[in-house]
């Protein structure tokens, strides 16, 4: 009985380690997100909301994980393009349309695995570039981000030698600093991710 119980315990530990190792190593994929947040005019005394970030974007991400038992630690970077920015009528007529050229996030992550699932939290640095179409100038926003996410390894997809396919969801909130033309602003995204572990 003792031998059987010991073998079962060893098997349980080995299985837990194996699940964590399913998330270990390099990974990369595609990020499809929808975002929202108010954008302020940095030169407006009343600090009114003159633009609103909305709509979807397409991005790519890559990173690396280390595993210790069921725990996973790592870092990732995401580059997103195509986020739309809607302006209030008065400001848009004067300054012109505003577009977001890109949004980049670099984050540290830590999470816990439950079988083929990973639940994680993340914190890091964000950089965005905004383009005023009429003004001919760019405004860069820099700030911090914090987020939570979930990933699931799809069973049986890693037999080709290319790695394990996974799907996930991520929510990230950004607190961006004031620039010459843009006041402090907050911007959040909810993303669906599809990627592969290598």
């Amino acid at each position: 009985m003792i031998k059987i119980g010991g073998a079962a315990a060893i098997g349980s530990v080995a299985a837990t380690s194996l699940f964590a190792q399913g998330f270990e190593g390099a990974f990369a994929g595609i990020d499809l997100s929808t975002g929202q947040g108010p954008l302020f005019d940095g030169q407006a005394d009343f600090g009114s909301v003159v633009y609103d970030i909305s709509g979807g974007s397409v991005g790519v991400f890559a990173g690396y994980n280390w595993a210790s038992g069921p725990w996973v630690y790592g870092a990732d970077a995401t580059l997103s393009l195509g986020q739309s920015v809607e302006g209030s009528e008065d400001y848009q007529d004067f300054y012109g349309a505003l577009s977001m050229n890109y949004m980049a996030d670099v984050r540290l992550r830590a999470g816990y695995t439950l079988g083929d699932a990973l639940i994680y939290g993340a914190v890091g640095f964000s950089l965005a570039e905004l383009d005023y179409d009429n003004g001919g100038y760019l405004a860069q926003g820099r700030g911090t981000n914090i987020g939570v996410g979930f990933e699931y390894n799809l069973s049986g997809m890693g037999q080709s030698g290319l790695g394990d396919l996974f799907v996930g969801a991520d929510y990230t909130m950004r607190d961006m600093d004031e620039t010459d033309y843009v006041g402090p602003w907050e911007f959040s995204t909810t993303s669906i991710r599809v990627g592969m572990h290598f």
Side-chain angles (χ1 to χ4, degrees), residues 56-147:
S57 64
V58 179
V60 293
F61 66 89
Y64 196 92
N65 287 328
W66 293 267
S68 178
W71 294 95
V72 174
Y73 312 91
D76 69 4
T78 303
L79 178 64
S80 300
L81 306 173
Q83 194 72 54
S84 62
V85 182
E86 300 294 335
S88 62
E89 184 175 352
D90 292 341
Y91 272 83
Q92 189 151 314
D93 288 344
F94 184 79
Y95 288 106
L98 178 65
S99 58
M100 183 181 294
N101 291 339
Y102 66 82
M103 169 70 74
D105 299 312
V106 178
R107 311 184 302 175
L108 297 177
R109 311 194 319 170
Y112 189 83
T113 57
L114 298 169
D116 286 328
L118 168 65
I119 301 172
Y120 65 84
V123 62
F125 174 80
S126 296
L127 177 67
E129 184 177 83
L130 303 168
D131 186 358
Y132 286 87
D133 294 345
N134 282 359
Y137 54 82
L138 303 175
Q140 285 193 336
R142 301 176 180 86
T144 58
N145 64 63
I146 185 170

Side-chain angles (χ1 to χ4, degrees), residues 127-198:
L127 177 67
E129 184 177 83
L130 303 168
D131 186 358
Y132 286 87
D133 294 345
N134 282 359
Y137 54 82
L138 303 175
Q140 285 193 336
R142 301 176 180 86
T144 58
N145 64 63
I146 185 170
V148 294
F150 170 85
E151 292 177 0
Y152 186 81
N153 280 335
L154 299 179
S155 301
M157 295 294 181
Q159 305 304 318
S160 64
L162 296 177
D164 292 328
L165 189 67
F166 69 90
V167 295
D170 184 278
Y171 175 82
T172 299
M173 182 69 191
R174 300 164 187 83
D175 186 7
M176 308 298 285
D177 295 334
E178 184 176 359
T179 70
D180 291 339
Y181 305 106
V182 180
W185 50 291
E186 294 182 350
F187 174 52
S188 65
T189 53
T190 302
S191 304
I192 298 297
R193 290 181 151 198
V194 180
M196 185 168 287
H197 294 284
F198 299 97

Side-chain angles (χ1 to χ4, degrees), residues 1-8:
M1 294 295 291
I2 294 177
K3 291 182 178 180
I4 294 175

Side-chain angles (χ1 to χ4, degrees), residues 12-30:
S12 176
V13 172
T16 301
S17 177
L18 179 61
F19 289 142
Q21 289 176 5
F23 293 93
E24 192 173 19
F27 60 90
I30 297 174

